[in-house]
Amino acid sequence: MFFAVWFWFSFLLTLFYMVLMLVYTIGWRKLPVWKNTNKPPKTSVSVIVPARNEEKSILRCLKSIQNQDYPHALMEIIVVDDHSEDNTAALVKQLNLENGQLIQLENVDKPENLTAFKKFAIETAIKQAKGELIFTTDADCELSSTTLSTVVDYFEQNDVKFITGPVLFYENGKNLLSKIFSLEFIGMMGVTGASSYWGISNMSNGANLAYEKEAFLAVDGFRGIDHIASGDDLLLMEKIENKFPGKTAFLKSPLAVILTDPPEDLKAFFHQRIRWASKSRFYKDWKIIIFLALIWLFHVNMLLITILI
């Protein structure tokens, strides 16, 4: 009796997963690739880069921002140093950023029992930001020269409040493991885009985010999620989607791609995924919760079948 029930349970879970993957595939293919209109931009942009102990990559990141084909008169760069114990802050100062500034959190008054340092860093920068559009990326990332112009063009031609864009790993081809990581990450980008197409906005990446400053303020920023260490992307996206239904979007364009390094090894990979998964318990959208629960059950069930067989 038990095995009969388990068989049908496994069959239904597998059927659900196959249908879900088919839906994602259709959604990704139907999501159009954005083609820039090449109209002169009008939107001022504040690029915010939170950084902690990023001396190995911070210059690469900032130089890629400086090399944007976006008008520098409409752009400012705000680097927020989160108590780095290396030369991150010194390197930023030496670069002497045009239209840029460095905020060091050690010099900023912080609330008691602060746990979400990255959110606090971003919110601190937004308070000083002059741009209409906030663009956030990570200090270990490299922007394409066309990233900002593509994001702003999409923003200006569409009625949206929040945009998440593609992030890919460098194709360094060091070993088979890094290639597997890259393939898995590409799949995640596909699911992110497909989810956006179907109106199930349950994925985004803080390495490539843009949102209206007014929209951020309208949802009280990170208030209500500021006790959660991560979630400056997904949970903020959920807040803005709840406040402005249908105004969040995924920008499908090779011109908007941002590159980052893959995890160094399996341990780093699993730590990253556990950190990402930890945000799921704070979702409020019941559809997303059910989807994630069923996907989790499918993978656990597959693991049990593999072990027992």
Side-chain angles (χ1 to χ4, degrees), residues 222-242:
F222 296 117
R223 186 176 180 181
I225 56 173
D226 49 3
H227 61 290
I228 306 166
S230 59
D232 57 283
D233 43 20
L234 280 173
L235 299 180
L236 176 61
M237 183 183 192
E238 186 178 49
K239 288 188 70 177
I240 292 178
E241 175 65 26
N242 289 337

Side-chain angles (χ1 to χ4, degrees), residues 34 37 39 152-159:
W34 177 253
T37 63
K39 294 181 179 179
V152 173
D153 187 65
Y154 184 88
F155 172 75
E156 292 182 345
Q157 306 306 320
N158 295 274
D159 183 18

